[in-house]
Amino acid sequence: MRKIDKSQADAYFREKNMYMILFFGIWFIVSFGVAAFADSLTEIEIIGFPLHYFMGAIGALLTFIILLFANAIIGDRIDKKYGIDDKRNEELSSGKAMDH
């Protein structure tokens, strides 16, 4: 297993954390922001339902699922950018001998 330079590891975690904070922010706005401004969002309609009702019934769930997929795709891209190999990690976690 190769050693990772501290600056590279810091950049990796900084980038991963930046996206995580972004995803949590979007989730918070969709989940709680819409409920906080429900009265003012009554005039906006989606598929015949007021926006606050649509987001509570379907929109928040769809947004959460989209965020899960986006996190997986972006996380994989970041892993490849920093040279993290899933196959090698699986070998190490299954108890196979490490190269010295």
Side-chain angles (χ1 to χ4, degrees), residues 14-62:
R14 188 173 22 259
E15 192 168 349
K16 291 283 263 194
N17 288 338
M18 180 191 66
Y19 279 107
M20 195 59 61
I21 290 168
L22 174 68
F23 293 146
F24 277 133
I26 293 169
W27 168 80
F28 183 83
I29 290 168
V30 169
S31 297
F32 296 106
V34 172
F37 299 104
D39 289 338
S40 61
L41 298 174
T42 304
E43 293 86 31
I44 302 170
E45 290 190 2
I46 296 179
I47 314 174
F49 297 102
L51 178 62
H52 69 279
Y53 178 80
F54 177 81
M55 290 305 291
I58 300 169
L61 179 63
L62 290 176

Side-chain angles (χ1 to χ4, degrees), residues 3-100:
K3 288 249 184 196
I4 297 174
D5 183 42
K6 182 175 177 2
S7 63
Q8 185 180 10
D10 289 344
Y12 171 79
F13 285 110
R14 188 173 22 259
E15 192 168 349
K16 291 283 263 194
N17 288 338
M18 180 191 66
Y19 279 107
M20 195 59 61
I21 290 168
L22 174 68
F23 293 146
F24 277 133
I26 293 169
W27 168 80
F28 183 83
I29 290 168
V30 169
S31 297
F32 296 106
V34 172
F37 299 104
D39 289 338
S40 61
L41 298 174
T42 304
E43 293 86 31
I44 302 170
E45 290 190 2
I46 296 179
I47 314 174
F49 297 102
L51 178 62
H52 69 279
Y53 178 80
F54 177 81
M55 290 305 291
I58 300 169
L61 179 63
L62 290 176
T63 303
F64 181 69
I65 292 169
I66 290 168
L67 288 174
L68 287 174
F69 280 105
N71 182 49
I73 292 167
I74 291 171
D76 286 345
R77 288 182 184 161
I78 293 170
D79 289 350
K80 287 179 186 169
K81 177 180 174 182
Y82 289 95
I84 296 173
D85 184 15
D86 285 337
K87 298 263 187 236
R88 184 69 180 139
N89 290 340
E90 287 174 14
E91 288 175 9
L92 292 173
S93 64
S94 67
K96 294 183 180 177
M98 292 180 14
D99 295 334
H100 294 289

